Amino acid sequence: MHARITLFALGVVSLAVVSLYPTLQFPSSAQVSTFIGPRVWPLTLLIILFTLGIVLIAITWRDRKQVLITEPQATPDTPVETEIPSARFSLNRTRHWWFIATAIAYTLLMQSVGFLIASLIFTFIGTLMLGARSWMTIAITLVIAAVLMQGVFVSLLGIPMP
């Protein structure tokens, strides 16, 4: 289990590092007429992504070392209980990969339908993947997301929606 989490965390850190160069190609606030440039938001997300990936690696390694220290050593006389992993497909077991695929699809969809529509679709799918089943909860989440996106980017920051 620790190997899978470590591999996922290394993938997250790698994604952040690889995405840094294209993000730095966006214009800064000095190059555009807005208070905060287009580079700030993706750069902030990359820094957060990188930091959380490193934290996940550190926590996983720490937990692995604690398990190795506290786990009793098996002797030939002591039977070792092993858990047989379930081979069934489960959304819970693969949810992180679905979120990554959804984020990639969101990025591609944004170019064709625009930021607001793509963001609302992403919010809808993300809300479903997080377990919301009530249509009222989903509708409220979408309305709040639309108001926040419109309010923050257009009204507060003065950045027109693409």
Side-chain angles (χ1 to χ4, degrees):
M1 182 67 171
H2 289 103
R4 288 182 187 172
I5 295 173
T6 302
L7 183 63
F8 174 72
L10 287 172
V12 167
V13 170
S14 299
L15 177 67
V17 170
V18 168
S19 300
L20 185 61
Y21 178 74
T23 300
L24 292 176
Q25 301 306 311
F26 288 134
S28 67
S29 59
Q31 298 168 324
V32 295
S33 62
T34 58
F35 176 67
I36 295 177
R39 182 188 308 169
V40 172
W41 178 245
L43 190 59
T44 303
L45 288 178
L46 285 179
I47 291 169
I48 292 169
L49 189 68
F50 180 81
T51 304
L52 291 177
I54 295 296
V55 168
L56 182 59
I57 289 171
I59 289 171
T60 304
W61 285 352
R62 182 199 65 199
D63 290 349
R64 187 175 139 251
K65 287 180 182 178
Q66 287 178 352
V67 167
L68 291 176
I69 292 171
T70 60
E71 192 174 83
Q73 298 297 325
T75 63
D77 300 335
T78 310
V80 177
E81 293 183 27
T82 59
E83 182 180 318
I84 300 172
S86 172
R88 275 184 43 205
F89 173 77
S90 168
L91 178 62
N92 288 336
R93 294 182 70 192
T94 59
R95 182 173 292 164
H96 55 284
W97 295 113
W98 287 107
F99 267 113
I100 291 172
T102 305
I104 291 169
Y106 168 59
T107 304
L108 298 173
L109 187 63
M110 195 182 316
Q111 298 170 2
S112 60
V113 299
F115 175 75
L116 186 60
I117 300 297
S119 296
L120 290 176
I121 292 170
F122 179 72
T123 303
F124 174 73
I125 293 171
T127 304
L128 287 176
M129 287 192 334
L130 288 173
R133 295 295 174 249
S134 165
W135 287 105
M136 182 62 76
T137 302
I138 294 170
I140 290 171
T141 302
L142 289 174
V143 168
I144 290 173
V147 168
L148 283 175
M149 284 182 264
Q150 187 72 22
V152 168
F153 287 108
V154 176
S155 303
L156 185 62
L157 299 175
I159 299 173
M161 293 287 213

